[in-house]
Amino acid sequence: MRRTVLSFLALILLTLSSFVTSNNPLSGHRRNFGPKLHHRKYEAPSIINEGTLSDFSTEDPLEIAIKFVSTKLHPTADFVIKDSYKSDHNGVTHIYFKQIVNGLFVSNGDLNVNVDQFGRVISYGDSFYVPNPTIREQNLRPDEKPNLGNVFDDSQYVFALESFARFINKEIAHPEDIKTIEHSTFDDGHHVLLLSNVPFALSDVKMSQEYIQMDDRSLRFVWDIQIEMEDNWYNAQLDAHTGKVVSLIDWVSDAAYNVFPFGTNDPSDGDRKLLLDPHDILASPNGWHTQGKKNFNNTIGNNVYAHENLRG
């Protein structure tokens, strides 16, 4: 098992969100779509009635979480730790994992474990890929670490970028003007390609080769593309062989949150629900990801519903 601690904040709302399927993704207003992952699960037993998922421990919370994943959930999986932090108000440490297969990230293979101040696992969310024994994988890259010499071959990334440009009704008239920088983001060798001079992008386009798990629990070899535009901020996965868009998230246009809705006081009192664009259009007319003229891929601004709760 490979373990690497990464130093960037996890985009929790995005990794845990379900996707909303559009009947016509080429219409003027594109809805987010992609695999629904029916095997995803969230376990948060009532501590009073059912106890916790592990016993008391004095070990470091990261080691507790790693041991829990490696022994109880996915003994054969490779992963990295994307992020971890401790909540000051209750002492719970939150650890976020990203799955790796054949040296590549699984874009929707995420897992989080929550460890309380007594070293007990109290809840977890899991969307890791588990092979479907009835499917013979046909769309995988060779079982080897990515090699910059072939992973970022010009014809491959240009094909993927032009395919996505056509999908959003844009044109790249002079692809030869696009400049690229190969960037190794993490200690585990995950490589990202930064593209500048893309005509309709406001900043460098980020591209990397990953897997995405489909609803039949197969893996699809894809290009992951992140592109910031004037009115949209897309994160898409395109089939690396065909250029077809298999998953799309617009971090600005639409927002789907897999959350505990108002009225649910505690995770043990109810289930998460998928809420689409739940922002108040009067208080936040541009949603929760825009401040001024700048778009963000995390929630930002005055998005708090605050009220007195003197009795707890």
Side-chain angles (χ1 to χ4, degrees):
M1 179 188 70
R2 179 169 55 256
R3 295 154 40 187
T4 305
V5 179
L6 308 182
S7 60
F8 69 95
L9 292 177
L11 300 177
I12 306 308
L13 291 177
L14 299 178
T15 57
L16 294 182
S17 292
S18 297
F19 300 111
V20 180
T21 303
S22 169
N23 292 326
N24 182 13
L26 288 176
S27 62
H29 186 64
R30 292 175 180 82
R31 291 291 189 182
N32 298 339
F33 65 92
K36 297 180 183 298
L37 301 187
H38 299 289
H39 68 280
R40 291 184 312 124
K41 59 183 175 181
Y42 178 76
E43 296 287 341
S46 169
I47 295 178
I48 296 177
N49 298 326
E50 303 174 58
T52 56
L53 297 168
S54 69
D55 296 328
F56 289 96
S57 175
T58 58
E59 286 188 278
D60 182 90
L62 263 67
E63 293 300 323
I64 294 171
I66 290 170
K67 184 180 297 184
F68 180 76
V69 173
S70 300
T71 60
K72 300 290 184 64
L73 301 180
H74 301 282
T76 62
D78 284 338
F79 53 79
V80 294
I81 297 176
K82 288 179 60 177
D83 186 34
S84 66
Y85 70 93
K86 182 177 180 179
S87 296
D88 292 334
H89 71 285
N90 60 11
V92 174
T93 300
H94 312 274
I95 302 97
Y96 301 94
F97 299 82
K98 171 65 74 174
Q99 189 176 18
I100 292 176
V101 173
N102 294 345
L104 297 180
F105 280 180
V106 179
S107 63
N108 53 357
D110 298 284
L111 193 153
N112 71 290
V113 176
N114 304 304
V115 181
D116 71 6
Q117 58 185 319
F118 305 110
R120 304 175 300 181
V121 175
I122 58 173
S123 62
Y124 71 91
D126 182 7
S127 67
F128 265 24
Y129 161 72
V130 178
N132 185 342
T134 66
I135 294 178
R136 182 175 180 270
E137 300 287 7
Q138 299 284 348
N139 201 19
L140 304 186
R141 67 184 300 280
D143 187 5
E144 59 184 17
K145 291 287 289 183
N147 183 309
L148 284 177
N150 56 46
V151 168
F152 294 138
D153 176 80
D154 285 357
S155 62
Q156 293 187 39
Y157 75 76
V158 170
F159 167 71
L161 183 61
E162 289 184 325
S163 296
F164 186 67
R166 288 191 296 271
F167 179 81
I168 59 175
N169 299 323
K170 299 292 183 180
E171 182 182 0
I172 303 176
H174 300 286
E176 66 276 7
D177 292 340
I178 296 176
K179 300 184 184 301
T180 62
I181 299 176
E182 295 167 359
H183 179 59
S184 182
T185 309
F186 311 122
D187 293 339
D188 70 323
H190 180 71
H191 297 289
V192 175
L193 192 64
L194 303 179
L195 283 67
S196 59
N197 291 341
V198 177
F200 45 84
L202 299 182
S203 58
D204 287 350
V205 175
K206 297 179 181 179
M207 296 184 64
S208 61
Q209 289 190 328
E210 300 183 358
Y211 289 121
I212 189 171
Q213 51 183 325
M214 308 303 288
D215 284 329
D216 62 359
R217 285 169 48 198
S218 65
L219 284 181
R220 188 77 58 87
F221 182 33
V222 296
W223 276 101
D224 180 273
I225 298 179
Q226 298 180 31
I227 180 167
E228 180 186 9
M229 300 167 58
E230 187 69 32
D231 298 314
N232 308 89
W233 195 331
Y234 289 120
N235 183 196
Q237 285 79 37
L238 282 74
D239 187 300
H241 300 287
T242 66
K244 179 181 179 180
V245 179
V246 297
S247 178
L248 178 72
I249 297 174
D250 185 348
W251 290 333
V252 175
S253 179
D254 295 307
Y257 305 91
N258 191 18
V259 296
F260 296 100
F262 286 124
T264 304
N265 189 53
D266 184 270
S268 62
D269 293 340
D271 297 323
R272 290 174 180 263
K273 292 185 178 180
L274 186 67
L275 304 181
L276 179 63
D277 294 334
H279 59 275
D280 187 305
I281 60 173
L282 295 179
S284 303
N286 297 320
W288 292 342
H289 300 271
T290 300
Q291 193 169 66
K293 295 183 178 181
K294 187 172 178 59
N295 298 324
F296 297 84
N297 56 14
N298 59 335
T299 53
I300 192 166
N302 184 20
N303 303 315
V304 176
Y305 176 62
H307 61 93
E308 289 186 354
N309 188 14
L310 300 179
R311 297 183 179 181

